[in-house]
Amino acid sequence: MEMQVEQAHHQAVDARLQDVADYLQDLLSRRLVAYIAGVKDVKTVSRWANGEVEARQEAERRLRAAYQIALLLTEFDSPRIVKAWFIGLNPHLADTPPAEAIHNGRSKEALAAARAFIVGG
């Protein structure tokens, strides 16, 4: 699993923001991606995906964290399960949904929860 974690990290760092936003909106929905990134207008996600505007630093940080986690989880589970993981109550995050944790700047904890999910913990 550590190899997948490293690969997901590398991809998340290397990817264009446009590709990150496009992938996440397809996997999770524009509304959820906007929430994770901390923007009110869901159209902003489409603008990122189309390369029309750049994200603020904090929004980009959240997007890349969600992208890294999504890439990692999709190696082990279906897109439907991955979306459910992002929105479901997570015992490793004090019953906070991972999307909310990332939104609140707890990306490191969300990544740890993803690792625990993969190993079945």
Side-chain angles (χ1 to χ4, degrees):
M1 176 181 64
E2 285 307 308
M3 186 61 159
Q4 286 92 346
V5 171
E6 288 296 323
Q7 288 173 333
H9 172 72
H10 181 73
Q11 281 183 261
V13 169
D14 194 43
R16 297 179 315 158
L17 179 66
Q18 193 173 337
D19 297 330
V20 170
D22 188 50
Y23 178 86
L24 288 173
Q25 77 175 352
D26 287 346
L27 179 68
L28 302 175
S29 81
R30 279 192 322 175
R31 177 165 295 178
L32 185 56
V33 175
Y35 172 73
I36 288 169
V39 296
K40 296 199 183 320
D41 188 357
V42 297
K43 292 177 186 172
T44 302
V45 177
S46 296
R47 291 183 188 112
W48 291 332
N50 294 330
E52 296 170 21
V53 295
E54 290 293 316
R56 291 187 164 170
Q57 186 175 3
E58 187 57 38
E60 182 172 350
R61 187 176 303 127
R62 291 174 185 151
L63 290 171
R64 289 189 184 279
Y67 183 64
Q68 178 179 348
I69 291 167
L71 290 173
L72 179 61
L73 290 174
T74 54
E75 286 288 315
F76 296 93
D77 257 306
S78 71
R80 180 183 62 79
I81 298 292
V82 173
K83 183 176 181 182
W85 182 88
F86 269 91
I87 62 176
L89 301 180
N90 192 296
H92 295 280
L93 298 168
D95 293 329
T96 300
E100 184 178 327
I102 297 167
H103 171 86
N104 290 329
R106 297 171 50 208
S107 299
K108 186 176 178 180
E109 293 170 60
L111 179 58
R115 288 174 164 165
F117 180 76
I118 290 167
V119 297

